[in-house]
Amino acid sequence: MEIKTLICDLDGTLLAPSGGVLVSDRVRDALIALQEQGMTIVLASARIFQGVLPLARQLQMDRYHGYIIAQNGTLGYDVSRDQTLFVHAIEQTDSLALWEMARQMGLDFGIAQPSYMVASGYSEGFALDRYNCAVDYLLTDTPQRYVREEIWKCSASGDKATVDRSFDRFRTQVEARYPYRVIRSTDTFVDVIRQGCDKAGGLKELFAQIGGSFAQAAAIGDGDSDAQMIRESAWGVTLENGSALCKRHAKQIVPSYEQEGCLTLFSQLLSR
């Protein structure tokens, strides 16, 4: 089995959840060494693109022709060419309607653009997202004045109690009325993306453009959103902290992110 592509989730895999934008020196060095041996690296994350790009640069993926799948499969990006390969965007009129819906349910709402996030407030989920993804926030009560670019995704935020109370109703109404999917990414943060988008689908779209396939890929991740790419890859790996669904589909389980268990897989790949 020849592995030519390594697909990596970020939070809970390469680094701690909400662990900032850069990995440890040991993880960095191992991933650079793999690229020096000819491995193509794909970073596949639920994060907004701006929260993945600094890590790609730390890993020198611009030099070694790596790729990013961001926002749960809604955006593909060629790091070396500084080129967006595909985007499944949200319509501006829909984003403004979703804003009003979320606000009526007591949630803050944000509209993510390439330049910055336009948001109604800076509650707990958005504060953590800004730290984790290095995204600038513009706070306003009149989003139509500032939404001028392509909309990559929308998000809702609040404290845990507020999101607990509002999530099911918000998801039901959004998915009944619009062609979007609502995902509870954390206890305090909710994502709204195009229906039908996920990491595995984004990877298939990437492979169709650049060549390659799951049949020659290793994938490592920890969350339910990673389970399909783990299942379809020739060498699917999860960590001790991985979800039950990931463990069901994985061919190998490595130590948790706290022990940098991803290095177990990287060492095996380097020694092949």
Side-chain angles (χ1 to χ4, degrees):
M1 175 178 57
E2 184 180 11
I3 300 297
K4 295 183 177 181
T5 303
L6 172 60
I7 306 161
C8 298
D9 171 54
L10 272 61
D11 296 283
T13 300
L14 297 187
L15 69 172
S18 299
V21 293
L22 302 179
V23 295
S24 72
D25 291 350
R26 293 205 313 157
V27 172
R28 177 202 63 200
D29 292 347
L31 287 169
I32 290 174
L34 281 166
Q35 292 176 99
E36 288 173 342
Q37 289 189 1
M39 186 75 69
T40 297
I41 303 294
V42 181
L43 300 178
S45 177
R47 292 185 180 196
I48 193 169
F49 170 74
Q50 296 99 316
V52 186
L53 186 59
L55 174 54
R57 289 173 173 160
Q58 182 196 19
L59 300 177
Q60 301 179 29
M61 290 168 58
D62 52 340
R63 176 182 175 187
Y64 293 106
H65 306 287
Y67 300 90
I68 291 172
I69 298 295
Q71 300 147 202
N72 272 317
T74 66
L75 182 147
Y77 180 78
D78 183 326
V79 182
S80 62
R81 294 182 180 178
D82 189 22
Q83 180 182 0
T84 300
L85 301 176
F86 61 84
V87 180
H88 299 286
I90 289 178
E91 297 296 329
Q92 179 176 334
T93 54
D94 291 346
S95 73
L96 297 174
L98 294 172
W99 178 295
E100 294 302 323
M101 183 189 299
R103 298 301 294 130
Q104 290 171 10
M105 296 183 189
L107 295 166
D108 280 327
F109 197 73
I111 299 172
Q113 306 174 112
S115 297
Y116 51 80
M117 175 86 84
V118 178
S120 63
Y122 196 54
S123 50
E124 185 176 346
F126 285 157
L128 289 172
D129 181 64
R130 183 175 183 274
Y131 166 76
N132 209 39
C133 294
V135 178
D136 290 329
Y137 274 72
L138 188 154
L139 304 183
T140 182
D141 292 324
T142 55
Q144 61 274 12
R145 293 176 58 189
Y146 302 102
V147 178
R148 300 168 181 151
E149 302 175 71
E150 191 171 51
I151 299 171
W152 285 348
K153 71 169 183 175
C154 293
S155 302
S157 166
D159 58 33
K160 183 178 183 301
T162 301
V163 178
D164 283 346
R165 182 173 61 251
S166 303
F167 176 73
D168 286 341
R169 185 159 59 104
F170 181 66
R171 178 179 61 184
T172 298
Q173 292 191 22
V174 172
E175 294 184 353
R177 300 179 190 180
Y178 299 96
Y180 305 123
R181 185 162 66 102
V182 179
I183 306 162
R184 188 164 184 177
S185 299
T186 72
D187 286 343
T188 60
F189 195 87
V190 175
D191 278 320
V192 182
I193 64 173
R194 276 279 175 186
Q195 194 67 255
C197 290
D198 56 29
K199 290 185 184 181
L203 288 161
K204 289 175 183 177
E205 195 165 355
L206 176 68
F207 288 144
Q209 293 196 38
I210 69 169
S213 69
F214 282 115
Q216 293 182 311
I220 182 167
D222 72 306
D224 283 358
S225 63
D226 302 313
Q228 185 70 6
M229 71 180 194
I230 289 171
R231 186 183 74 82
E232 295 201 30
S233 293
W235 191 346
V237 180
T238 192
L239 304 94
E240 287 291 350
N241 56 283
S243 70
L245 188 60
C246 284
K247 289 177 178 176
R248 187 182 313 154
H249 293 309
K251 297 176 176 65
Q252 180 180 5
I253 300 174
V254 298
S256 77
Y257 72 85
E258 294 173 311
Q259 287 79 48
E260 294 191 324
C262 61
L263 290 170
T264 300
L265 171 63
F266 302 162
S267 296
Q268 291 169 339
L269 289 170
L270 284 166
S271 65
R272 289 170 65 87

